[in-house]
């Protein structure tokens, strides 16, 4: 494995090799350019960085712990397994890292209204939280099916003052929620900032969201060097759009000794409409602002997706992940619903930690790999969120 030139991607137009870019209606070109300029200005503004660091620490609870899962390690009989505890962050997932960065940008641009899409509801909760914190109007678009699956998070968003719009078109999940959010943005572009929740969409979102999430990997690097005096051998994270994984992976991409695995949703099996593993059945295409791997049929129609996890059942994957796969720097695999549910229960029973169903996909991969690896190795898993939102769904499925 050789080092890759990460400093050269994305290029000035937001391309990660053949992926990425900006495929949007003309109405959105100016706000995207405005956002790009403001984002790059903020990166060189010490006041912005100070404010972001302050809220990440004092409001969100960073740094999050890097926790040695001793019982899981013993049970699997292999390497030390560390959990990066993003589940302990305020609102219960990594999503708030990005939301905080973007709301500070929205204020700088003079926007008075915030919109967002959400699948599992964690990004919606994080967006509603920062909007409440700064007193901005907030509208969250969420598929009607996801509203049922994630009812607790719908209540949380409403309590925080957000309007939650149930989207009843199509499959009534994340893809349709994004469509509605983009329609809203086109209509209300002067007053509104769209806090997109993952490393997807038109440039600069994939770059910007990754950089707001890289705090996960930067912390992890410092913490593991402090605890073990060396880098890990393997990083594992689940992948929907891919922001928690990019956040963990990015600061380690130049370290050839560190292997990385992204875990997609295998659903009920790799058949059309039964899963959301884009790298298993997908092909190159354009969806919702960017070019990446999509689950689509021979005519370019987006296929139905399925996952037990509302946050992973999206038909496309972040363009930087597609590029990293081409570079053979990150390996991409998948976990089936059944494996994720088993991992969910195992982590709860062994470690007293109830993970999000999304994160349980990453734990499922650890359960597969750890017994085959030497004990001197070190694995770090991004525990991207907590599982309160999933408890009733899992209880019904496992018969509690």
């Amino acid at each position: 494995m050789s080092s890759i030139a990460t400093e050269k991607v994305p290029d000035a137009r937001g391309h990660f090799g053949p992926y990425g870019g900006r495929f949007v209606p003309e109405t959105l070109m100016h706000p995207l350019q405005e956002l790009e300029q403001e984002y790059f200005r903020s990166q060189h503004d010490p006041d912005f960085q100070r404010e972001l660091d302050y809220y990440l620490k004092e409001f969100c609870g960073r740094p999050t712990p890097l926790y040695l899962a001793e019982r899981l390690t013993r049970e699997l009989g292999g390497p030390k397994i560390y959990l990066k505890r993003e589940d302990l962050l305020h609102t219960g997932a990594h999503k708030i890292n990005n939301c905080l960065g973007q709301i500070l940008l929205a204020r700088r641009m003079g926007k008075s209204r915030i919109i967002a899409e959400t699948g599992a509801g964690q990004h919606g909760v994080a967006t509603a939280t920062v909007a409440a914190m700064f007193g901005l109007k907030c509208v969250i678009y969420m598929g009607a099916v996801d509203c049922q699956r994630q009812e607790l998070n719908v209540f949380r968003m409403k309590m925080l003052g957000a309007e939650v719009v149930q989207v009843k078109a199509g499959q009534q999940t994340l893809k349709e929620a994004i469509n509605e959010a983009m329609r809203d943005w086109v209509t209300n572009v002067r007053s509104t900032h769209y806090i997109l929740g993952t490393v997807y969409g038109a440039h600069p979102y994939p770059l910007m969201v990754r950089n707001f999430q890289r705090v996960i990997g930067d912390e992890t690097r410092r913490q593991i060097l402090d605890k073990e005096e060396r880098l890990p051998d393997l990083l594992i994270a689940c992948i929907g759009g891919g922001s928690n994984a990019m956040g963990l992976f990015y600061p380690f991409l130049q370290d050839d000794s560190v292997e990385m695995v992204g875990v997609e949703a295998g659903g009920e099996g790799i058949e059309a409409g039964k899963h959301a593993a884009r790298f298993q059945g997908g092909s190159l295409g354009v969806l919702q602002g960017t070019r990446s791997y999509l689950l689509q049929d021979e005519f370019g129609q987006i296929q139905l997706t399925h996952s037990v996890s509302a946050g992973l059942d999206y038909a496309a994957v972040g363009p930087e992940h597609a590029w990293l796969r081409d570079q053979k720097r990150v390996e991409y695999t998948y976990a089936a619903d059944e494996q994720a549910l088993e991992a969910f229960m195992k982590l709860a029973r062994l470690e007293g930690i109830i993970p999000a169903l999304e994160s349980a996909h990453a734990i499922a991969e650890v359960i597969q790999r750890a017994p085959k690896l030497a004990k001197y190795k070190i694995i770090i898993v991004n525990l991207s969120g907590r599982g309160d939102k999933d408890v009733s769904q899992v209880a019904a499925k496992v018969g509690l």
Side-chain angles (χ1 to χ4, degrees):
M1 189 193 302
S2 58
S3 292
I4 54 175
T6 52
E7 72 280 357
K8 294 181 181 174
V9 292
D11 65 16
R13 293 185 302 156
H15 292 108
F16 300 86
Y19 310 106
R22 193 178 273 162
F23 297 85
V24 293
E26 193 62 35
T27 327
L28 292 181
M29 290 303 280
H30 176 69
L32 284 166
Q33 288 161 354
E34 178 192 27
L35 177 61
E36 180 186 3
Q37 289 162 6
E38 196 61 56
Y39 171 69
F40 283 122
R41 271 197 295 270
S42 75
Q43 294 311 286
H44 302 291
D45 182 345
D47 289 339
F48 178 89
Q49 296 302 325
R50 249 193 312 273
E51 190 175 22
L52 179 59
D53 290 346
Y54 169 80
Y55 286 119
L56 284 172
K57 180 184 176 188
E58 301 292 342
F59 184 70
C60 299
R62 302 211 73 91
T64 58
L66 185 67
Y67 174 68
L68 177 60
E70 294 182 46
R71 292 195 68 213
L72 185 63
T73 297
R74 282 201 300 275
E75 171 86 5
L76 298 178
K80 284 185 179 176
I81 299 164
Y82 281 92
L83 307 177
K84 180 56 173 163
R85 297 290 308 276
E86 294 299 288
D87 60 311
L88 293 178
L89 211 52
H90 180 46
T91 72
H94 69 291
K95 293 293 188 180
I96 200 162
N97 300 320
N98 166 54
C99 290
L100 195 52
Q102 286 202 49
I103 197 110
L104 294 178
L105 284 177
R107 288 170 75 222
R108 283 167 69 105
M109 293 186 292
K111 305 296 184 182
S112 59
R113 180 174 176 268
I114 298 296
I115 60 171
E117 86 298 329
T118 195
Q122 288 301 123
H123 175 60
V125 169
T127 301
T129 297
V130 296
M133 179 188 173
F134 288 111
L136 300 185
K137 187 178 179 187
C138 182
V139 179
I140 308 291
Y141 291 92
M142 190 171 186
V145 168
D146 289 340
C147 286
Q148 290 178 331
R149 289 199 281 186
Q150 303 292 337
E151 192 177 33
L152 173 65
N153 276 342
V154 174
F155 293 146
R156 292 169 79 194
M157 288 181 262
K158 289 179 177 178
M159 285 173 184
L160 289 159
E163 178 189 350
V164 180
V165 178
Q166 288 199 36
V167 179
K168 296 183 177 176
Q171 202 177 345
Q172 304 183 36
T173 56
L174 183 58
K175 174 172 66 72
E176 289 77 24
I178 294 175
N179 283 341
E180 289 305 313
M182 289 182 78
R183 284 192 191 99
D184 182 318
W185 198 22
V186 167
T187 309
N188 300 292
V189 78
R190 288 176 184 272
S191 64
T192 298
H193 174 65
Y194 178 13
I195 299 187
L196 201 148
T198 193
V199 286
Y200 196 75
H203 179 62
Y205 281 107
L207 164 76
M208 180 174 71
V209 176
R210 174 250 277 164
N211 287 346
F212 283 140
Q213 290 293 0
R214 70 168 290 174
V215 65
I216 301 169
D218 287 334
E219 279 181 12
T220 299
R221 189 186 186 89
R222 289 193 297 270
Q223 289 167 324
I224 199 65
L225 288 172
D226 183 53
K227 290 172 185 292
E228 297 284 350
E229 299 184 341
R230 74 177 185 86
L231 293 177
D233 299 285
L234 178 61
L235 303 175
I236 300 179
C238 67
I239 300 212
S243 66
N244 91 86
M246 275 314 311
L248 177 64
F249 295 167
Y250 189 73
F252 294 91
L253 287 174
Q254 300 299 322
D255 300 297
D256 293 349
S257 65
V258 182
E259 293 183 32
M260 303 176 199
V261 178
V263 187
E264 296 186 287
E268 295 170 351
I270 307 303
E271 295 175 38
K274 301 282 189 185
H275 69 98
R278 288 66 48 109
F279 292 128
Q280 304 304 318
S283 55
L284 188 61
V286 173
L287 179 66
Q288 293 172 329
T290 197
R291 182 191 285 123
S292 190
Y293 262 79
L294 321 176
L295 292 171
Q296 58 188 342
D297 66 19
E298 59 189 303
F299 305 109
Q301 296 300 303
I302 303 304
Q303 292 177 335
L304 298 179
T305 55
H306 164 78
S307 171
V308 70
S309 157
L312 298 186
D313 65 353
Y314 184 51
V317 67
E320 190 164 10
H321 284 295
W323 182 75
L324 288 169
R325 179 175 177 263
D326 283 1
Q327 304 302 307
K328 297 183 166 46
R329 182 62 188 94
V330 180
E331 177 188 347
Y332 293 88
T333 184
Y334 60 91
D337 287 353
E338 194 176 320
Q339 293 170 299
L341 288 164
E342 181 189 327
F344 183 101
M345 295 303 297
K346 190 179 278 282
L347 195 68
R349 298 278 167 88
L350 285 174
E351 292 291 345
I353 298 170
I354 298 174
L357 273 172
E358 292 81 358
S359 313
H361 284 69
I363 300 296
E365 185 63 19
V366 174
I367 292 168
Q368 295 290 314
R369 287 188 185 239
K372 302 169 191 168
L373 296 175
K375 291 195 176 188
Y376 66 83
K377 301 262 189 184
I378 297 169
I379 298 175
I380 296 176
V381 194
N382 198 7
L383 201 71
S384 55
R386 68 177 190 235
D388 311 35
K389 65 187 177 60
D390 300 311
V391 165
S392 58
Q393 189 186 353
V394 173
K397 285 190 177 292
V398 301
L400 293 180

